[in-house]
Structures are given as structure tokens and as C-alpha cells.
Amino acid sequence: MPTHMKKSLSRHGAWLIALPLGIGVWLFWAMAYPHALFYHEQFQLFLFGNGYLSTCLAEPGGLARWTAELLVQFYNNPYYGATVLALLFMLIYGFTRQLLQCSSAALLPPFLLWYAMGDENVLLAYAVALAMALAVCLGVRAVRNSRWGLTLLAVAGMPLLYWLIGPMAFLPALYMAVVLPMSATRRIFTAVMGLLALLTAIATVLVASHLLPYPTDRFWIGISYYRVPQVLPLLFVVIPVVVLLCCALCKRLLAAAAKRSQLAAAAVTAVLVALAVLLIPRGFDAKKYELIGYDYLVRTAQWKAIISKAEQQQPDLPMSVAATNLALAMEHQLGERAFQFFQRGTQGLLPPFERNFATTQLTGEIYFRLGLVNTAQRFAFEAMEALPNYAKSVRVMRRLAETNLVNGQYAVARKYLQLLEKTLFYRKWAQQTMTLLGNEEAIDSHPLYGHMRKVRLQEDILFSDKEIDRICGQLFLHNKQNTVAMQYLLMWPLMNRDIPTFMQYAQVVQNNTIYRPRHIEEAICYAFGMQQQRPPQELVSEPVATQFLKFANAYNQGGRQNPALLQPFKNTVWYYLVSK
């Protein structure tokens, strides 16, 4: 076969792999894991302007970080975000293929990166730095026979590259030292320049570690590659090593096999794809991403979607149960359907405080919806301070603007809105919200902020999360239209299995409004049954009273020892109260 025809087939073969890779990446993130994109987007605050760029460039890996955060902005829309990732993976594949001259082996780095990104703390800066390092490797190969080019790269190029992309600069340095001499015409000179490049990169790390206020180990593992400092996942080392091994050991063998037999190359590709389909999903912890999914739905106030998600698979973690209960309360269904779902006591209503950036915001959302605006603001600050990489959060900035707007602190709200005006996807919202500052009539008529002004407590109150029921009582008595606080007030003692306290709260509620959903009637029925009394007909409907008699008979006839007898009543308050 003529050479030009082989090259043409090779180019087409590369596209036949790169395009399905991009489509697969796009479908994975846009359809299966869009919530993961929002998770990453919320934990940064990318600001347009020279000031932010210079701030990033003041640390090693600054260009990779700035570029990555520029791209992560588009995660705000899952289709845009998935497109960004698809193009980046295709770019990494294309660069690797150019280095290896083998389409099959070039799939290894993208697949390993895909698996590694299952760790929710892996930042896009790592993938961007990998793409930049591979591009530099291609540039190094292009000047492998130029003495001046190699010398310039070894002496000045590697220190500059380290400062721009971080420790991933060691990939081109090792490529120069280990792989390049094999194909250069001046092997000894090339090897010496490669060793010099490696030494200058190491020297740059040592100098930077003495000049900048970061722990020394972060200069070796990357300041902006991983959200948690002083942690280096093993795959961070494996991926560059795989590239080098493929270049040094596998390139000729795989390329020769591909030339001899297109069938062999296709078989290798098929095996790699099959392994990727089998193993990549294992890198995504199901429980973690379940919580990330619930948090995203809470953030976007998709209450019906949360309930639907819980109906399909029962939530069992404190945060997922809390999100489900909040959604039920927002849809005014907590008193009607709470015990259709798994409950974790009062932790399922309000999880205990943890200094954790991932869960604090969801807990703060519960406080906000209850009407405890100041407490929600405090949790927003806590969430920002809990970010392990000391970044700023665009989600927190928006919430702080909202809480200060509701509280009438317009100067403070303006400060946050002015920052959000410098972003891409929050600029329009910030400009619209800016028009509300000082406009009391517009705020009062706003569907969210006007409601929050009506239900919030005017005075700042210090309280323990152990007494949230009393605070809910104050919120309800302050504004009888605060149905979220009313539902939490009644559910709190039920989740604690404290029937006497529930009856006290139920009396307060009934004196102020008419609220008798199913679970409330069941609890009242149970309270009267404990006193061997029949509940008043005006408080408990006849169907609920009849069903309670059936439950009591089943319980007295062996249900205490044989829980299977009580299964028909599993979705009732009664079953929850007697089960442990």
C-alpha cells in the first residue's frame, strides 16, 4: 500500500477513535453526572480581569489553574460543561497519539484520567496541565535535533513551564531525559540536555518552596491539582508514568503490530474500551454522588425532582434524608408523606453541624427555607472557610448577597453583587438583583425575598441545634404562613418519638390554623390510644381511627415479637414509633 494511503487511513483511524471518545465523554457527564459538574462549578469564583490572572500566575501552575477555572465556569450548564470535557479529552488523546504514533495505546491516558476524575476532589487544572505538558512534549520532539532548541528548553524552558503548569512539567523533563535520546541524532548531547532539564525543574521546585508561603510538599504534588492539600492520589503519578512507558517501551511494539495487522490494532482498542466501560464507573462512588445529586437539586430548588428521586431509591444517608424532608416541607407534604421514606430521627430534619464544605451548604439551605436568615448566612461563611484549598465559592457569594439583601444590608449586598458582575454566568442575575437594592416595594413583591422578609425573625437569636423545635415554634407564631417551620415544629418531636411534646405543639398549631394531614392524625390517634381513649372525631378521621385499631390488634397479637405482622403499617407514624 502506498505511503500516502497509509497516512490517510491512519488519520481517519484516529478520528474513528477520537470522535467516539468525545461523544462518550459528553454523554457520560451531560446525562449521567451533570450534578458533578455543578459540584465543581460552585467551589470557585472566576473573575474576568487582569487582577485575577495575575493572582493565579503568582503561584506555580497558575496558567493551568486560570485556564481550568475559565473552563469550569461552563459547568454551570451541563451541556456546555460536557462539551468542554469532551474536547479536552479528545485533545489529550490527539496529543498522546502524536507522541506514540499508535491510536490504541493513546487511549490509556484519557481512560485513566476519566477514572481519576471520579474522585470529586480532582480539579480540572490537573487535566489542563496534562494537555499542556503533552503539547510541550510534542514541541520537544520537534526540536530534538536542534542544539540551541534543546539547550534553551533545558535551561529556561523547564523553570518557566513549571511555573505555568506546575509539577506536570516533570513529564516533558523526563521525556527529554529518558525517551528523546532514543530517536535523536545526537544521543549523548540530547541525554545530557534531558538530565539538565530534569535538574533545572527540581531546582525550580526547591527555590519556589523557599520563596512562597506554601508547605513544601505542595510544590511537588501541585497547588491547584487537587482540592485537599497535602494529598496526592496515586493515579496522579500513574498517568504521566504510563505516557512515558508507552513512549519508551510500548511505542515500537504497538506501532509495529498495528502496521502488520489492522485487526490486531482493532482488537487492542476493543479490549481497552471494554476495560474502560467496566472500570471507569467504579471510580465514581455511588453514595458520594447520590449526595452530590441531592445537593444540586436543593441548590436549584427542584423539590418535585427530589421527591421523585427518593421515590425511585430510598435515601438513607443523613444529608439525603434531610434533602428529602426539606423538599416534602416545601411542597407542603411533610406531614402527609414523611414516613413513606426512611427516617433518621431529628438528624433527618436538620443534620448536626459539621465543618465540611460539601454538607454545610445543604444544612444552611434548610435554615434559609425555615426563615433563619442570619443562621443561613453564618453557615454560608462556614462553608466558604471550610473549603480546603482556600478558594472562594460563587454559590456562597450569591447566598451572602441574598441574605444581606433580605436583611436590608444593601452596602454589603452590593459588594457581593459587584463581584458576581465580573463572572460569566452570574453577571445577568447580579445586575437584575442590583436593581432591588434599596427598593423596598420591589423586594417585598419578590416571590422569594419578599417571603423571606415576612417569615424571618427580626432579632438575632443564639440557639443550639438541639432546640430547633422551639425556634420553629417562634417562627410559626411570628408568621402563621410559615408552613415550613410549622411542619418542622410538629415533625421534630415525632422523629424523637416524644408524643407528649408533640401533643403540646399540635395544640399550639391547631389553635392558630387548621392543619391535620395524615401523619398528624396518626400521631394524635396514637397519643389517645396510649391513654386508652378514643380520639375526638374532629381531630382524627374515621379511616385513620379504623386503621389504628387494626395496628393495635396486630401489635398486641404478636407484632412486638414478630415485626412482619406490622409490615402493612410500615408507612405510618405508629410503625416508626414502635420500631427501633
Side-chain angles (χ1 to χ4, degrees):
M1 183 182 294
T3 303
H4 71 279
M5 292 184 65
K6 289 184 178 181
K7 289 183 178 180
S8 177
L9 286 173
S10 177
R11 284 196 297 270
H12 284 88
W15 276 106
L16 288 175
I17 295 177
L19 192 57
L21 172 66
I23 293 173
V25 170
W26 191 92
L27 291 173
F28 183 87
W29 293 103
M31 301 302 173
Y33 287 90
H35 47 285
L37 300 178
F38 285 94
Y39 179 83
H40 286 283
E41 183 267 344
Q42 68 181 329
F43 292 131
Q44 68 170 43
L45 180 66
F46 183 89
L47 302 175
F48 283 99
N50 295 331
Y52 192 70
L53 175 60
S54 60
T55 299
C56 292
L57 292 178
E59 65 182 34
L63 180 62
R65 174 192 165 187
W66 185 88
T67 305
E69 292 186 1
L70 172 67
L71 297 176
V72 168
Q73 285 186 112
F74 292 91
Y75 287 8
N76 187 272
N77 182 305
Y79 303 122
Y80 296 164
T83 301
V84 166
L85 286 172
L87 293 175
L88 183 58
F89 271 72
M90 292 174 67
L91 189 66
I92 291 173
Y93 169 78
F95 287 159
T96 309
R97 184 189 171 277
Q98 288 295 316
L99 279 176
L100 302 182
Q101 294 297 308
C102 178
S103 299
S104 301
L107 284 171
L108 278 172
F111 284 162
L112 287 172
L113 177 63
W114 196 343
Y115 180 90
M117 290 179 71
D119 184 339
E120 74 280 6
N121 290 316
V122 173
L123 300 177
L124 190 66
Y126 177 78
V128 170
L130 176 61
M132 291 178 173
L134 291 171
V136 172
C137 287
L138 289 174
V140 169
R141 192 182 67 177
V143 299
R144 63 183 180 275
N145 294 321
S146 169
R147 288 190 175 186
W148 285 108
L150 291 179
T151 303
L152 185 62
L153 279 170
V155 176
M158 288 305 153
L160 177 61
L161 185 63
Y162 173 81
W163 199 262
L164 293 177
I165 71 173
M168 194 61 75
F170 282 101
L171 175 58
L174 289 169
Y175 180 79
M176 285 183 65
V178 177
V179 179
L180 200 61
M182 298 180 184
S183 58
T185 55
R186 303 180 180 89
R187 294 191 176 186
I188 296 178
F189 174 79
T190 304
V192 171
M193 289 298 102
L195 181 60
L196 180 59
L198 188 58
L199 291 175
T200 54
I202 293 173
T204 304
V205 174
L206 296 176
V207 171
S209 65
H210 283 85
L211 297 179
L212 297 178
Y214 292 99
T216 303
D217 51 0
R218 294 194 66 189
F219 291 92
W220 297 99
I221 66 178
I223 294 174
S224 57
Y225 291 172
Y226 197 70
R227 186 171 284 113
V228 181
Q230 300 178 342
V231 174
L232 180 66
L234 181 61
L235 274 178
F236 274 38
V237 179
V238 170
I239 295 174
V241 169
V242 165
V243 173
L244 288 171
L245 286 177
C246 287
C247 289
L249 304 176
C250 304
K251 174 183 172 181
R252 294 180 180 178
L253 294 175
L254 291 172
K259 288 180 179 179
R260 287 196 302 268
S261 172
Q262 293 293 328
L263 184 61
V268 172
T269 302
V271 169
L272 289 175
V273 171
L275 289 174
V277 171
L278 181 65
L279 297 178
I280 285 175
R282 295 178 180 271
F284 292 75
D285 186 285
K287 287 297 182 183
K288 284 184 179 180
Y289 282 93
E290 177 188 344
L291 293 180
I292 290 173
Y294 273 107
D295 180 60
Y296 159 67
L297 294 174
V298 168
R299 176 189 177 186
T300 52
Q302 297 186 51
W303 311 121
K304 288 184 173 63
I306 293 174
I307 296 171
S308 177
K309 181 180 178 70
E311 288 172 342
Q312 295 172 12
Q313 183 176 354
Q314 284 279 341
D316 57 359
L317 298 174
M319 299 307 299
S320 57
V321 173
T324 302
N325 285 331
L326 175 61
L328 290 170
M330 294 300 298
E331 292 294 318
H332 206 61
Q333 298 178 19
L334 189 60
E336 188 72 32
R337 302 188 59 193
F339 294 99
Q340 293 179 14
F341 304 95
F342 176 79
Q343 294 295 338
R344 300 185 67 94
T346 56
Q347 289 188 1
L349 289 174
L350 191 70
F353 173 74
E354 296 180 7
R355 192 174 178 81
N356 183 298
F357 62 96
T359 60
T360 303
Q361 295 185 100
L362 195 151
T363 306
E365 190 71 34
I366 298 174
Y367 280 114
F368 185 75
R369 297 294 174 171
L370 283 170
L372 297 169
V373 177
N374 292 336
T375 305
Q377 182 170 284
R378 178 170 63 85
F379 268 71
F381 277 116
E382 293 287 352
M384 186 99 78
E385 293 303 314
L387 283 172
N389 62 343
Y390 312 110
K392 300 302 178 184
S393 166
V394 67
R395 176 181 178 181
V396 169
M397 289 291 181
R398 174 168 175 164
R399 174 46 48 89
L400 290 174
E402 291 176 324
T403 55
N404 282 282
L405 174 67
V406 171
N407 283 334
Q409 302 293 329
Y410 300 129
V412 181
R414 187 184 304 276
K415 178 184 69 173
Y416 294 117
L417 292 173
Q418 286 174 342
L419 282 173
L420 292 173
E421 277 189 313
K422 298 179 181 179
T423 65
L424 179 61
F425 286 94
Y426 295 86
R427 176 181 174 83
K428 184 177 180 180
W429 176 87
Q431 291 175 338
Q432 292 174 345
T433 308
M434 195 82 77
T435 62
L436 298 177
L437 299 180
N439 190 338
E440 303 296 331
E441 184 178 348
I443 296 174
D444 290 339
S445 61
H446 192 277
L448 176 60
Y449 308 140
H451 172 73
M452 297 309 300
R453 277 202 165 179
K454 293 175 183 177
V455 301
R456 71 188 176 107
L457 294 177
Q458 300 294 329
E459 298 178 357
D460 199 5
I461 298 176
L462 294 177
F463 60 90
S464 166
D465 56 5
K466 304 296 183 184
E467 54 184 7
I468 188 63
D469 52 334
R470 299 180 183 179
I471 302 301
C472 287
Q474 292 187 38
L475 287 164
F476 172 66
L477 293 176
H478 170 69
N479 189 314
K480 310 304 188 300
Q481 295 179 348
N482 191 343
T483 57
V484 176
M486 178 187 67
Q487 292 172 83
Y488 272 69
L489 171 67
L490 294 174
M491 280 296 148
W492 192 271
L494 287 184
M495 296 298 180
N496 262 336
R497 298 183 171 87
D498 186 353
I499 292 300
T501 301
F502 164 78
M503 291 301 292
Q504 295 176 18
Y505 294 166
Q507 185 66 40
V508 172
V509 171
Q510 298 306 323
N511 289 339
N512 288 276
T513 188
I514 298 175
Y515 180 69
R516 288 193 297 273
R518 173 189 165 192
H519 290 324
I520 302 307
E521 288 191 6
E522 290 173 351
I524 293 173
C525 200
Y526 186 89
F528 278 90
M530 291 176 63
Q531 302 298 325
Q532 303 296 318
Q533 298 177 8
R534 185 175 180 82
Q537 292 183 353
E538 64 271 16
L539 295 179
V540 177
S541 63
E542 188 61 31
V544 172
T546 301
Q547 190 180 26
F548 176 71
L549 291 177
K550 294 179 181 178
F551 169 81
N553 290 333
Y555 184 76
N556 293 328
Q557 292 175 7
R560 186 181 307 179
Q561 292 77 25
N562 185 9
L565 296 175
L566 302 180
Q567 284 298 310
F569 310 95
K570 187 174 181 180
N571 295 332
T572 66
V573 171
W574 315 317
Y575 184 89
Y576 176 81
L577 292 174
V578 301
S579 62
K580 299 294 182 182

